[in-house]
Amino acid sequence: MLDLQSIEADGIMPRLRVPEDYAAKHGIGRSASRILQFGNAQCAVRVNLSRSMPAHELAFSEQGMRELNLPAGNSYALKQTADSLIIGPYVGILLKRKKKNIAPDLLDDLARFYDRLGGALLVFAGDSVRMEKRTIEGFVYNARSKLWTWEKDCSYPAAIFCRAHLSKTLADHFNAVLGKRIFNDYRMNKWRMHQILLQSSALRRHIPQSRLLRKPADLVDMLGECKAVYIKPLQGSGGRDVMKALHASSGFSLVYRREGERFAAQSFRSVQGLSRFVEKRSQDRKYMLQQGIELLSHQGRLMDFRLVLVKDGRGSWKCTGIIARYGPEGSIVSNINAGGHAEDSRTALRKVLKGIKDEEIGRIHKKMKRCALAAAQEIEANGIHAGNLGIDLALDAGLHVWILEVNHNDPDHTIALDAGKQRIYEETIACNLLYARKLAGFGADRHGKPGCKPEKVKVAMADPSSELSEPH
């Protein structure tokens, strides 16, 4: 990587001065005119090779930096292609739907990993994209000052990591412009995900029986086949609005969360009465039914596992960690925001399975990873560009692995912090950025390594009072 320095213009065409040794190593020759590309922006430049300039510097005319809107204060690499010279990497992160929701603490984690990324890092929201001009307003990181600044006319990045919901119009636009260089830009409901996973013969035995809830008779039929049935909204996360119907001594019982209260159970003499209540409660929302599995538990608390699966700087799937989740007592979900708590999976398995040996825990983890990888591969086989997944798995009494849910809509990796596993969280965020770096045309990391350890930096905002008041 080369530290970018600006030089005064000395002609009509911008001048790019490159250390001779760097140019020789990367196949860059002297040229009277060459196209320099930065994201979707480009300009013609003269390329000069220099023996006298510092080996770690790159000099570029101020006029060229203005034409490309190339952020100063950062380090860049050059890549020679058949048609042009690319300066980068230039990575964008679509963080929120609305720019007013991008807060400083959301930027801090990203800045800490800049040393591994290099190049230009743009953080933006969906309402900051100007499709007609192909420009974006957003926060750009300056590594020299360690400040984020709000820029109004950024060119499109070479690759985008999507962490927020995209409108169909914007998703189609980015896919037309960037192609496969945008990832996690898709959104699907739980039923569509279920249908995709069922296409894998290797996964079918790991997927609970499920069906759409179209009419009350569907729940009646399902309870005729299963001891317990989860009733899940097709859209939504965090365990919100999930219900559980099960057989009881007096007929049937429904466990659900009353408004502003903890989970409570209500009894019904007949399955028809239960079905009518569920229909009334669900109103116009669409739900699916999922077979209730007798899962491992600890002291009466439901337990399952979140497996974090991301792509790294080589474009390979990597499990950065497995976290156990316990639901609150009496809860039917284990989500942290529903009152649950998280713990290292090895610690959790030793609590629940007394006397279990490390070798057996290793075998369980291997089974979980195989299921998760098969799920990711099946998603990709359906033409979906995924790179950031949180897969919810569970074990029954026989230690069979079940896939409960695949979280693809910006899964919350702070569950690793809830479990005290800082390393897992850091490695996950770094891998997200390094995969985007690869898509931008610059593989591994700026040091040529696929690793994911962050740099410890103190992040400041450039004039926070003005910079953060800009987005509305």
Side-chain angles (χ1 to χ4, degrees):
M1 301 292 287
L2 303 173
D3 295 332
L4 181 63
Q5 308 293 331
S6 64
I7 53 178
E8 292 184 5
D10 60 356
I12 298 176
M13 187 178 296
R15 181 160 55 97
L16 181 69
R17 196 164 69 220
V18 184
E20 193 172 74
D21 289 346
Y22 182 93
K25 182 178 179 180
H26 293 84
I28 301 169
R30 191 185 311 272
S31 175
S33 178
R34 183 172 299 178
I35 296 298
L36 180 66
Q37 189 169 344
F38 176 65
N40 72 319
Q42 59 183 36
C43 69
V45 300
R46 285 181 296 139
V47 178
N48 297 144
L49 307 184
S50 172
R51 293 180 180 176
S52 60
M53 69 184 300
H56 65 277
E57 288 187 1
L58 178 69
F60 192 28
S61 299
E62 292 177 351
Q63 66 189 101
M65 293 178 68
R66 287 193 298 270
E67 282 187 49
L68 296 180
N69 201 10
L70 184 66
N74 294 348
S75 300
Y76 294 91
L78 293 171
K79 182 177 180 180
Q80 177 70 55
T81 69
D83 303 319
S84 63
L85 190 61
I86 300 174
I87 185 168
Y90 180 16
V91 167
I93 299 178
L94 177 56
L95 193 59
K96 294 289 180 180
R97 296 180 67 178
K98 296 185 180 296
K99 54 190 175 184
K100 66 181 181 181
N101 294 329
I102 300 178
D105 62 310
L106 297 176
L107 299 171
D108 290 356
D109 277 339
L110 300 173
R112 293 175 58 237
F113 294 89
Y114 175 82
D115 184 59
R116 304 303 300 272
L117 181 68
L121 178 59
L122 168 69
V123 177
F124 66 102
D127 64 352
S128 301
V129 180
R130 306 290 176 257
M131 289 188 288
E132 67 285 353
K133 295 173 59 180
R134 293 196 177 184
T135 61
I136 298 174
E137 297 180 25
F139 289 102
V140 175
Y141 186 63
N142 184 306
R144 190 175 299 155
S145 65
K146 291 183 169 39
L147 296 175
W148 291 92
T149 57
W150 181 258
E151 302 292 341
K152 293 189 174 182
D153 292 301
C154 302
S155 61
Y156 283 4
I160 294 177
F161 171 30
C162 187
R163 292 184 52 185
H165 177 75
L166 274 178
S167 67
K168 187 178 185 307
T169 300
L170 191 54
D172 290 345
H173 172 73
F174 274 140
N175 275 283
V177 176
L178 298 174
K180 289 295 184 182
R181 288 180 288 122
I182 179 171
F183 70 101
N184 271 66
D185 57 308
Y186 59 95
R187 292 293 180 268
M188 69 180 83
N189 63 38
K190 293 181 179 68
W191 181 248
R192 175 60 183 144
M193 181 66 77
H194 173 75
Q195 290 178 308
I196 286 175
L197 298 183
L198 277 181
Q199 295 173 17
S200 168
S201 57
L203 286 177
R204 286 177 199 144
R205 61 189 294 265
H206 299 282
I207 301 172
Q209 179 185 343
S210 303
R211 67 177 67 175
L212 275 176
L213 177 58
R214 293 189 175 96
K215 55 187 183 301
D218 293 325
L219 180 55
V220 174
D221 293 344
M222 193 86 168
L223 280 169
E225 302 169 8
C226 308
K227 292 181 179 179
V229 175
Y230 275 89
I231 306 164
K232 295 183 173 183
L234 297 192
Q235 304 283 1
S237 60
R240 287 179 286 272
D241 299 319
V242 173
M243 299 175 275
K244 183 181 182 181
L246 60 158
H247 293 265
S249 57
S250 58
F252 299 89
S253 178
L254 182 73
V255 182
Y256 66 100
R257 198 201 312 260
R258 291 196 175 100
E259 195 69 32
E261 297 180 10
R262 300 180 68 179
F263 282 95
Q266 185 163 335
S267 299
F268 298 87
R269 290 178 177 270
S270 69
V271 70
Q272 290 78 15
L274 166 65
S275 297
R276 286 193 296 269
F277 181 86
V278 169
E279 183 180 32
K280 181 179 179 181
R281 183 171 175 80
S282 61
Q283 298 178 345
D284 294 329
R285 294 189 69 185
K286 294 183 177 180
Y287 281 74
M288 66 179 284
L289 306 174
Q290 187 181 77
Q291 172 192 4
I293 308 294
E294 290 289 334
L295 304 178
L296 291 183
S297 61
H298 179 64
Q299 296 179 348
R301 298 174 185 268
L302 181 72
M303 187 179 80
D304 61 20
F305 301 86
R306 167 64 61 87
L307 186 146
V308 182
L309 193 67
V310 293
K311 284 191 173 177
D312 62 16
R314 292 193 178 102
S316 302
W317 284 109
K318 180 175 185 176
C319 171
T320 55
I322 304 174
I323 303 296
R325 303 185 302 182
Y326 302 93
E329 191 172 354
S331 174
I332 59 172
V333 297
S334 61
N335 304 80
I336 304 301
N337 60 9
H341 71 276
E343 187 176 54
D344 173 68
S345 60
R346 288 183 176 273
T347 302
L349 286 170
R350 291 189 187 103
K351 282 182 180 178
V352 177
L353 304 172
K354 301 295 185 182
I356 189 171
K357 297 188 180 303
D358 288 345
E359 293 80 4
E360 180 60 23
I361 292 177
R363 283 192 288 270
I364 291 172
H365 278 182
K366 187 174 290 187
K367 288 193 294 183
M368 289 180 171
K369 290 175 184 178
R370 278 200 300 264
C371 282
L373 181 59
Q377 291 171 337
E378 195 60 44
I379 291 169
E380 288 187 298
N382 278 265
I384 296 166
H385 190 181
N388 184 47
L389 300 172
I391 300 179
D392 293 340
L393 304 166
L395 296 170
D396 61 21
L399 302 185
H400 181 73
V401 177
W402 294 92
I403 299 178
L404 302 181
E405 200 165 314
V406 176
N407 300 274
H408 65 284
N409 181 6
D410 192 26
D412 186 1
H413 299 310
T414 59
I415 185 174
L417 300 180
D418 295 326
K421 306 299 288 185
Q422 180 83 14
R423 180 200 61 79
I424 293 176
Y425 179 73
E426 291 177 344
E427 189 173 8
T428 300
I429 301 301
C431 283
N432 289 156
L433 294 177
L434 293 178
Y435 181 53
R437 188 183 201 276
K438 177 188 182 299
L439 295 178
F442 298 84
D445 71 357
R446 62 180 292 179
H447 307 297
K449 303 174 184 177
C452 304
K453 188 176 180 180
E455 177 193 24
K456 293 184 178 180
V457 299
K458 184 177 181 181
V459 180
M461 300 295 299
D463 187 9
S465 60
S466 61
E467 297 300 335
L468 285 181
S469 62
E470 173 67 27
H472 290 291

